Amino acid sequence: MAKVLDGITVIEQGTFITGPAAGMLLGDLGADVIKVEQPETGDPFRAFKGGLYSPHYQTYNRNKRSIELNVKDADDAALFDELIRGADVYIQNFRPGAAERMGAGPERLRELNPRLVYCAISGFGQTGPAAGRPAYDTVAQAASGFLNLLVNPANPRVVGPAIADALTGFYAAYGILGALVERARTGVGRVVEVSMLEAMCHFNLDAFTHFFAQGEIMDPYSRPRVSQSYALACADGKRIALHMSSPEKFWRGLAEAMERPDILADARFATREGRIANQEALIEILGGVFAGRTRDEWCRRLAAHDVPHAPMYDTAEALHDPQALHMQLEVQATHPTLGPWRTVRSPVSFDGERPTDVTPPPLLGEHNTQIRAELERARATTSEKDAS
């Protein structure tokens, strides 16, 4: 595996998703990510059925090492400072002010190490009227206007995975990488700040741009209407997705695959504008047609006519698709005590080399002895240099 961040040390004092997600992304690129955790309990996301290795925790904590440190203890606080002196990046996702109370604020840590890239992740930003409010995924989705594009107005309930949490981690890693590139020129680190509100507003840029440019407030069906996207049930109860976009050739291919050229002769569906305006009627017609064949049959027909489509897989199916198998998306590793472990690899390849090597998420404090020994060796080396 190409480790483009080999030699970069990241100290992650993150909990739940945003901070750990940022650390994982850097670890996927080869950084040495040291997760600093509270003794005995660790990252609260660990807790699961009486144990400390939940699926939630596993999702965002591969390619890391774990050390338990209680920074309120003088000896542990000194070890934490040693880690910071030798680090390139520090990540935390506490509420504003919490890091300072722990002795981990940006001014103090960058005084210890001026080259340090310090990343502070928050819910609503470091200042302002909402800065101190608690924020979780759904809160950020709602505050950014994004949740309004997901919730069915006829049955308003929250759907889908933790998009805001994961995306904020991506934006944090993006900012950290930019700061590391600049540091290569200047020799000085930066304080990188990102909030869940900022991340989700930026991710929701399409909706804001439509509002700025046209005064249009998008709803959950705005994009599917324009993109001409469909989710259709087949004869076997399985579903298939179509994204027809604007090229007429795709609609001609769909009509041929369905053996229904009459659909495009209908004045309501003869043009892109007509299909957008009459999508509800088109959904009803397509639904009736697709209910007549199995999903596999439709996939063969649509592929033969070059129609943009995919089976609507569930989690158990997706990684068994021939293309997913070819891309080696599922990778495996063996934890030294827990045994075989599976995950989905990083999507980024370098020079055609897929990143199939992965280290399972660490147990709480799994690397206590190893990391402490490394710090001891570093102290000894420094003492020898000072003596000479």
Side-chain angles (χ1 to χ4, degrees), residues 171-185:
Y171 279 109
Y174 159 79
I176 289 167
L177 291 172
L180 286 173
V181 171
E182 183 193 52
R183 192 192 68 174
R185 298 193 305 268

Side-chain angles (χ1 to χ4, degrees), residues 100-118:
E100 285 78 2
R101 292 191 294 271
M102 295 170 54
E107 290 187 8
R108 196 183 87 82
L109 297 197
R110 294 184 70 230
E111 185 177 339
L112 292 173
N113 180 359
R115 289 176 52 81
L116 185 71
V117 172
Y118 184 109

Side-chain angles (χ1 to χ4, degrees), residues 134-152:
Y136 286 98
D137 181 86
T138 304
V139 173
Q141 286 196 42
S144 65
F146 189 76
L147 189 61
N148 193 56
L149 300 177
L150 298 182
V151 171
N152 181 350

